[in-house]
């Protein structure tokens, strides 16, 4: 099945402790049905110092379920994603505006 949310999309969080926050998807894991969004679902990771990096308490964005995310349309509102065929290509479009993404 085609992906409704992809890397680089701007999304808004629908539920949970970060409800209403906006961010860009940095990675998607379709098998786990999760995505990592920058600035959302932050956890503190305690890391040991190594030759390459400083140790300490490092904030890291953790995966969030795709069902808790919605794509933002050009107006900055949450929208659902649909698919349609334009010419010979299958494209994603915002259900609120009907505009191709």
């Amino acid at each position: 099945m085609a992906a409704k949310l992809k890397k680089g999309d701007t999304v808004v969080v629908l539920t949970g402790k970060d409800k209403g926050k906006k961010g860009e998807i940095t990675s998607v894991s379709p098998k786990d049905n999760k995505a990592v969004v920058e600035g959302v679902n932050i956890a503190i990771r305690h890391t040991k110092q190594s030759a390459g990096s400083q140790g300490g308490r490092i904030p890291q964005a953790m995966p969030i379920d795709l069902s808790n995310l919605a794509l933002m349309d050009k107006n900055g509102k949450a929208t659902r994603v649909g698919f349609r065929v334009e010419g010979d290509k299958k494209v994603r479009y915002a259900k609120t505006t009907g505009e191709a993404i």
Side-chain angles (χ1 to χ4, degrees), residues 2-47:
K4 293 189 176 192
L5 298 174
K6 297 182 178 182
K7 181 178 177 178
D9 286 347
T10 304
V11 294
V12 62
V13 180
L14 299 175
T15 60
K17 66 176 183 176
D18 294 322
K19 181 178 180 178
K21 284 190 181 177
K22 299 170 177 79
E24 189 174 311
I25 295 179
T26 55
S27 68
V28 178
S29 177
K31 187 178 130 197
D32 300 329
N33 205 34
K34 293 183 181 281
V36 176
V37 182
E38 63 182 44
V40 173
N41 199 23
I42 300 293
I44 301 293
R45 289 281 165 236
H46 296 77
T47 58

Side-chain angles (χ1 to χ4, degrees), residues 19 21 37 49 52 56 63 85 90 96:
K19 181 178 180 178
K21 284 190 181 177
V37 182
Q49 185 174 356
V85 177
K90 184 177 181 181
T96 54

